[in-house]
Each structure stands twice: as structure tokens, then as C-alpha cells.
Amino acid sequence: MIGRITLLFLMAIATAAGAQNLTHPLKLGLPESDFVRPDPLDFEVALDNGLIAYVGRAGQVPLVTMSAFIRAGKANDEAEGSAEVLAHAMQTMGPASSTPAAFRDQLRGMTAEYKVDLHDDWMEVTLNVPAEDLEAALTLFRETLFNPVMSQAAIDGARDKTPADESDLGAESGAALYEGSMSLAVERFEDILFSKHPYGRKPRLTDFAALSPDDVSRFYETHFVPGNITLAIAGDIDESTMRGSIDEHFADLPAAEAPPAKRLPAIGALRKKRHEFPAEKLQSWLVFGHELPQVPLADEAALEVMNYILAGGHLYTRMTVVTRYLYGYTNDASGFLEDRWSGSGTYTFRSYSRPEVIEATYENMMTEIARVRAEKVTDEELFIAKGALTDGTFQVRYLDAYAATRDFALEQLRYGDHTRSASYIERIRALTAEDVLEAARKYIQPERMQVVLVGRE
């Protein structure tokens, strides 16, 4: 009886499999996606003083998210530590018209989520509140942005968050006083790459001791002007009403010319070198790569497609196929293109595995780098990458009003227009295998790679 049931079950599986369409996707004649990126003008509110906001309704839940993006990051800092002090004050102290305790009480009363993120080239201030608290939240948001605390107490607070110089491990030998991790490996890689560059700045206790409230004020007054800020507001809102509220809360700010975009020097040539940070852990973490020069628009699409095929963070990249499926060394071997606004970014490859196979993992990854620089990608790889990027990740950028307003606000702040997103699909679809090969040879430079290992070999 059992044998008969098993036979019937296997026959059913065979029948189901036989009914599937196993035609290769390249031969299915699939139509191109008809997705059209939303028009940013449908979201845009441009005030006469230069501030630009993007507004969109997303009514799934009764919440509203408002974000401000300011072109003012750590690398813009003339007086070391000013950006960190301002970010700390805005996060913990609120507007100068209130007190830190009252600011915290107001956030609690609205059950708000509030965060200030400081990056190398820009700052983001985000406030998420129930829709019923929208008007009060807008007032608080404006006050925190345009009337922050710039006092000695703010400097002291930022200083107190900074580790003492002696706890900063700069040596490449000795036991690391950290738990080995990928974040540590990436941090160490960037410390090495940007050691003599503005992107490598890390204010120390002596910097905060030399800083004055006037230094912080000068940084603030230079960068926190309407023409240097974009807003994104989305959620359970009436868009017409919100446009009026933006005018009411922000139109009276005096117009001021945005400071010129900073252009940082290129990173000097570094010869390939290996850096090891011992840690007694059950696995080791690997980061290797080099600086990424600012990529012209003409090269961006080919570089993105090349990285998607080689190591783009999904389960069927060349690096993943070899290191995970063929040898079973690791669950992840990925490449990260991380550009920066004012100067060189990084192109890194990252993985982790048992210490005894970390070297083999590295060799496998380097072999795939050599291959993508030596021969053209296949038609199948190109087809999959184009589809995944244009019909997948690009569309997710505009999945809802939260995503669209944020994307448009950042694009406007960085580039001053929306030509890049408008031409993205066309640029990706026009690529050839020759374009991808050229990008690999131009933007992957094995002889300049820095190799960082955290853990054991």
C-alpha cells in the first residue's frame, strides 16, 4: 500500500513538472517593463527663498514622516568637530527656544521617532509622528532646524561621546580590543584609505577643547540656509494642505545663497598592502578594495551592471556562486560601490568565513575579479542584471510616497536636478557587454587594493 501511494505521489510530481514552462527567459519574448518613474514636479514645492520640499500622500497608516537633508557633513567642517556638535545638539537638546527636558517631553507626548544622522557630505534630520500631531510636529521641526542650541553645553556633550585618544586602536599588531565584526573591518579599511584625507577626519578630545560656540555658529550659518536644504514629507496627509503648511512654516526664512559645493582632493596612490587585526573569534572578516573616483554619468550604468553581475549582493553573483555554492566557504561575498559627494568614494569587496578558509575565500574572489576584467559578460548575465536593476531596485526607489519624496529630495540636494533618475532606465537598457568590460577594467584596480583582515587566518 505504501509503495503504491509513493508511486502515485512521484507520478504527480512528474506531471506537475512536465506542465511547467521551462523555456529560457531569453527566449520567452518578454515585453519590456512599462514602468515610468514618477514626475518629481508632482511632488515638488519650491519656495521663493530657495528651499525645495517634496510632498506625497501615503495613507496606509496614520503617520507622517518629515525629513530635512542639509548639505553639511563632517567633510564640510572648517573647525574640527563643529558638525558633530551641531548634530549632537539637534539630537539631544532641541531648539534654543526650549529646554532639553521640554524637548524630550514633547517628543514623548507625540510618541515620536526622532533621529539626526551625520554623514561625510550631508546631514539628515527625521521626525515621525502620528498624523494628529502633525501641526505641532512641524513647528518643532522648524524650530529645531533653524534655531538649534549652539552653546558650550552642546560642545561638552559631543566631547563626552568621544573616546579618549588612547582607546583609538591605530596599530596593525596586537590584540584588537573589539569583537571582530564586518563593521569593524570596514571601519579599519576606511581609516587606512582616508588616513590623510578630509573623509578620514575624526574629532578628538583636543579638537573639542579648542572649539567655541562661535565656531559652531559659523558652521551653522554657512550651511543651514534654505538653498542648501531640501525637505521630504510623506504619510497620512492632505497634499494641498501640506503645501500650504510648508509655505506657512518655512517661507519666511531669509533667502541666502548656498555655499559652493566642496571639491575634496583625490586620494594619493597607495600601493597594495595587507593589514591584519588579530581577534580570537570563530570566524574572520575580510574587506578589500580601493578608492572609487567620482564616476561620470556616462560610466555610472555600466559600473552598476558590472558590479551586479560580479558581486552585487544577491544570491547568484559570480562571487557567490564560487565561494558559497561551489566551495561552501561563506554565505556572502559581495561588492559595494560607495560614492561620495565631494570626492573619492570606495569600491570594496567583503566576506567572512572560518579562519582556515578565509585565504581561499579571498583567492576565489580575486579570481572572479580577474575574470570580469578579462572577458565579456554573457548575454544571460547582462539580461538578468538589466532586468533586476530597472524592474527591481530602481522601481523600489519610488515604491510609495515615503521612498519617492526622500529619493527626489536627496537627488535635488546633491545634483540640483533630476536628470539622473530620468535617464536611468534608458542608460541601463542601452548597455552592451563591451561597455561592462570597459567599466571593469577602468574601475577595478587590483594593484591598488588595500586588504583588511579582522580575526585569524
Side-chain angles (χ1 to χ4, degrees), residues 91-408:
Q91 176 70 66
T92 64
M93 304 179 77
S97 57
S98 181
T99 65
F103 175 61
R104 291 191 293 271
D105 286 344
Q106 193 168 0
L107 291 175
R108 275 195 297 268
M110 294 187 287
T111 61
E113 292 181 353
Y114 176 69
K115 189 176 183 183
V116 179
D117 288 314
L118 179 61
H119 305 277
D120 285 324
D121 297 294
W122 54 285
M123 188 184 300
E124 178 177 355
V125 183
T126 299
L127 179 60
N128 178 272
V129 297
E132 63 195 64
D133 295 314
L134 177 56
E135 194 59 34
L138 265 174
T139 300
L140 180 64
F141 194 57
R142 179 226 153 93
E143 277 294 290
T144 304
L145 281 172
F146 295 104
N147 188 23
V149 174
M150 289 176 283
S151 64
Q152 186 60 46
I155 296 173
D156 294 343
R159 179 203 61 205
D160 292 344
K161 293 171 56 180
T162 304
D165 291 356
E166 57 267 22
S167 68
D168 183 355
L169 294 178
E172 293 177 19
S173 62
L177 302 179
Y178 296 81
E179 291 189 1
S181 68
M182 184 56 72
S183 61
L184 172 60
V186 173
E187 180 183 342
R188 284 290 172 261
F189 175 87
E190 294 189 348
D191 285 346
I192 292 162
L193 193 68
F194 295 120
S195 62
K196 299 179 180 179
H197 192 273
Y199 281 142
R201 289 177 177 170
K202 290 184 178 180
R204 301 181 184 276
L205 296 179
T206 52
D207 295 313
F208 291 112
L211 202 62
S212 73
D214 287 342
D215 294 324
V216 180
S217 295
R218 278 191 291 272
F219 176 82
Y220 172 81
E221 290 166 3
T222 299
H223 298 286
F224 277 66
V225 297
N228 205 43
I229 298 173
T230 57
L231 304 179
I233 302 177
D236 187 14
I237 60 173
D238 178 87
E239 292 171 89
S240 178
T241 301
M242 177 54 65
R243 289 169 181 268
S245 294
I246 289 172
D247 188 77
E248 177 185 345
H249 285 83
F250 299 100
D252 64 332
L253 296 167
E257 191 171 330
K262 199 162 189 176
R263 289 290 174 263
L264 298 179
I267 296 173
L270 299 174
R271 65 182 178 86
K272 186 173 182 178
K273 190 175 179 182
R274 187 176 181 121
H275 312 264
E276 296 181 3
F277 300 90
E280 290 300 320
K281 296 295 174 182
L282 297 179
Q283 66 180 13
S284 296
W285 291 263
L286 172 70
V287 177
F288 62 96
H290 49 63
E291 78 285 358
L292 178 69
Q294 291 199 307
V295 181
L297 183 61
D299 291 349
E300 280 183 355
L303 181 58
E304 189 171 350
V305 166
M306 184 275 296
N307 184 62
Y308 184 91
I309 293 169
L310 174 64
H314 56 92
L315 293 177
Y316 204 66
T317 68
R318 287 186 175 185
M319 282 189 179
T320 300
V321 167
V322 172
T323 61
R324 176 173 175 165
Y325 303 132
L326 184 58
Y327 290 102
Y329 288 154
T330 181
N331 285 326
D332 182 42
S334 298
F336 296 83
L337 294 165
E338 295 180 307
D339 65 337
R340 284 173 167 81
W341 293 14
S342 305
S344 298
T346 59
Y347 191 6
T348 59
F349 300 91
R350 308 174 191 176
S351 189
Y352 57 88
S353 63
R354 303 182 310 280
E356 59 268 24
V357 297
I358 193 68
E359 190 68 37
T361 303
Y362 169 70
E363 294 297 337
N364 283 166
M365 295 168 75
M366 288 299 296
T367 297
E368 292 308 311
I369 286 174
R371 186 161 73 96
V372 81
R373 296 180 77 248
E375 60 188 40
K376 291 188 292 186
V377 299
T378 67
D379 290 343
E380 180 176 355
E381 288 174 319
L382 192 59
F383 174 81
I384 292 171
K386 287 182 178 183
L389 293 173
T390 60
D391 300 335
T393 56
F394 182 69
Q395 294 188 27
V396 169
R397 286 167 52 180
Y398 310 98
L399 187 64
D400 55 27
Y402 294 108
T405 54
R406 187 178 194 279
D407 189 88
F408 287 139

Side-chain angles (χ1 to χ4, degrees), residues 11-82:
M11 290 175 62
I13 291 176
T15 301
Q20 292 179 1
N21 185 346
L22 300 178
T23 305
H24 193 283
L26 283 172
K27 298 179 180 180
L28 284 174
L30 297 172
E32 287 190 350
S33 169
D34 59 359
F35 172 78
V36 177
R37 183 213 60 170
D39 187 342
L41 293 179
D42 292 341
F43 299 84
E44 186 178 293
V45 180
L47 302 182
D48 291 340
N49 59 15
L51 187 142
I52 297 177
Y54 296 87
V55 174
R57 174 171 172 75
Q60 300 95 323
V61 292
L63 297 171
V64 180
T65 298
M66 55 193 77
S67 297
F69 305 96
I70 308 98
R71 192 171 188 130
K74 291 179 282 187
N76 302 109
D77 208 342
E78 297 300 332
E80 193 79 19
S82 294

